[in-house]
Amino acid sequence: MTRVLIAPDKFKGSLTAEQVAHALRSGIASQAPDWTTSICPIADGGDGTVATLVAHGWQQVRATAEDALGRPRAVGYARLDDTVVIEQAATVGLEQLPATGRDPMGASSFGMGELIAHALSAARVSTVILALGGSASTDGGAGLLQALGARALDRYGCELTHGGAALATLHRIDLEPMDQLIGDTRFLVARDVDNPLLGPDGAVRVFAHQKGADLAQQQMLEAGLQQWSRVLGQRRPSAAVAVNAPGAGAGGGVGYAAIAALGAETCRGVDWLLDFIAFDDHVEQADLIVTGEGNLDTQTLFGKAPTGVTKAAAARGVPVVAVAGRCTLTRQQTRAAGFDRVYALTDIEPDLARCMAQGAALLQEVAATIVEDMRIRVEEDVP
């Protein structure tokens, strides 16, 4: 009897991690009813984190918060006992905005702060985890702090408008109202990247163009973040070190604000989630692991969810195969990352739009192929 652990991330724009897992389970069951399968949806701390936690038994709390452009919308966060998880992508994420309606200069992280305030006012909260990634803004987390009560003021004592562009006129910041609200709450940043706040590897240079910022706008946003770090550094001595902390540039600089102003610790999102769900225990019960995500590319190699799976599996000698909507990695790269084999849906359906629309059916087909390949492999290993 073969024991298969199905542990995929979401297929962005197509299926949640849980939906992917169920489609793969269905395909395996149709071809190998004698195999046992267990489902363990995962995430890397970016978009899909709340949905994954809910699938693992967390409560989803509904609230109203502004999106990145200041429009109120119904959103949710995850809660378990006195711990809450706020997902940036679902709250103020780029995917929440129409492609023609993005505003890289005015987009804000304010909505994340609103959700934190909602959680703190609703019940006793000891720990707030910020799942960063997929942001629409590059405001250094200023909006988040403002929603918690911080006052960002220009030289005339006027409150700054939201967005990264306004930070260039920042003169003073008052953190006392925010400090009173958060009290002794512990903050943790679950990051999906290690970038610093500023410079060639920072939040602007690496990510702002994805949010619609041209070169001139990028220069303005970088100048704004520089001023933001200078002024915040006058109130928080730790801010100077936080600028270069791994993950300070995550989420358009929200990582920096969390580290510098909220005293947050940081960790890789996938490591935190896999540890929380005791993923190692699942691995020990498996003969094969099937993982994957919508797009396997070079970003996968730097701390994304599937590589967290291969790391855990390698320590216990369990083979891992990956399923992806599309794979742009070479065979050498996938082997180095720990994948025995990669199955791409585009190998079956080259048209990407149809591939995304028919994702569940294609995953079932791929799962059947995985069963067939495993049986061939077993036969070849028999002397």
Side-chain angles (χ1 to χ4, degrees):
M1 179 177 64
T2 300
R3 301 167 300 175
V4 183
L5 173 60
I6 304 172
D9 197 353
K10 70 201 168 295
F11 277 38
K12 184 184 258 186
S14 178
L15 299 167
T16 67
E18 189 172 20
Q19 290 171 330
V20 172
H22 281 291
L24 289 169
R25 169 183 264 181
S26 177
I28 291 173
S30 68
Q31 296 297 312
D34 57 321
W35 289 17
T36 62
T37 55
S38 58
I39 285 177
C40 185
I42 59 173
D44 60 14
D47 48 338
T49 296
V50 165
T52 298
L53 291 173
V54 170
H56 284 281
W58 288 54
Q59 175 191 3
Q60 185 173 42
V61 181
R62 306 300 298 179
T64 299
E66 293 184 3
D67 69 8
L69 301 184
R71 301 172 301 188
R73 54 188 295 269
V75 293
Y77 56 90
R79 183 183 186 108
L80 182 67
D81 300 327
D82 60 355
T83 298
V84 300
V85 174
I86 310 292
E87 180 188 319
Q88 183 175 35
T91 309
V92 291
L94 192 62
E95 294 296 322
Q96 307 301 326
L97 307 179
T100 57
R102 297 171 180 176
D103 180 8
M105 307 300 283
S108 169
S109 58
F110 191 86
M112 289 190 74
E114 289 185 301
L115 288 188
I116 296 171
H118 181 276
L120 293 177
S121 64
R124 168 65 181 167
V125 172
S126 67
T127 304
V128 174
I129 300 169
L130 304 177
L132 302 188
S135 69
S137 62
T138 313
D139 72 344
L144 183 152
L145 300 189
Q146 287 174 302
L148 292 175
R151 300 186 66 216
L153 308 171
D154 64 19
R155 65 175 56 254
Y156 303 105
C158 299
E159 292 272 0
L160 262 60
T161 57
H162 295 168
L167 295 176
T169 62
L170 180 66
H171 181 69
R172 183 171 65 88
I173 183 166
D174 179 7
L175 299 176
E176 185 175 349
M178 180 195 76
D179 290 339
Q180 292 179 355
L181 175 65
I182 65 175
D184 60 356
T185 306
R186 172 178 176 256
F187 287 86
L188 177 67
V189 170
R191 67 185 192 275
D192 62 347
V193 297
D194 290 335
N195 303 73
L197 179 67
L198 304 171
D201 297 320
V204 173
R205 304 284 180 84
V206 177
F207 302 109
H209 69 95
Q210 301 172 4
K211 306 169 188 181
D214 59 29
L215 289 177
Q217 291 173 324
Q218 289 177 39
Q219 291 175 350
M220 295 173 64
L221 289 170
E222 182 78 3
L225 291 183
Q226 290 173 347
Q227 179 66 5
W228 171 237
S229 65
R230 281 193 292 267
V231 174
L232 190 54
Q234 296 169 5
R235 296 300 310 274
R236 291 286 200 264
S238 60
V241 176
V243 168
N244 294 312
V254 168
Y256 168 73
I259 299 167
L262 303 178
E265 302 171 33
T266 70
C267 67
R268 284 190 175 274
V270 63
D271 292 339
W272 171 81
L273 190 139
L274 294 183
D275 181 64
F276 176 82
I277 63 176
F279 188 71
D280 288 348
D281 295 342
H282 294 277
V283 173
E284 289 179 352
Q285 304 301 315
D287 302 308
L288 172 70
I289 301 176
V290 182
T291 188
E293 62 180 349
N295 193 28
L296 278 177
D297 56 20
T298 54
Q299 291 190 29
T300 305
L301 308 178
F302 297 97
K304 293 296 186 178
T307 53
V309 171
T310 59
K311 180 180 176 181
R316 288 155 184 80
V318 181
V320 180
V321 299
V323 179
R326 176 173 55 186
C327 178
T328 58
L329 298 175
T330 66
R331 176 63 173 165
Q332 182 178 8
Q333 287 174 314
T334 59
R335 293 289 293 182
F339 303 113
D340 283 43
R341 185 163 180 179
V342 173
Y343 300 82
L345 302 191
T346 51
D347 290 341
I348 304 173
E349 174 51 74
D351 184 276
L352 190 57
R354 285 200 294 268
C355 189
M356 295 180 69
Q358 302 168 15
L362 293 172
L363 284 167
Q364 293 180 37
E365 188 174 340
V366 164
T369 303
I370 292 174
V371 172
E372 181 181 348
D373 288 348
M374 280 294 294
R375 284 174 171 161
I376 293 173
R377 178 175 176 174
V378 170
E379 291 174 0
E380 290 176 345
D381 289 341
V382 175

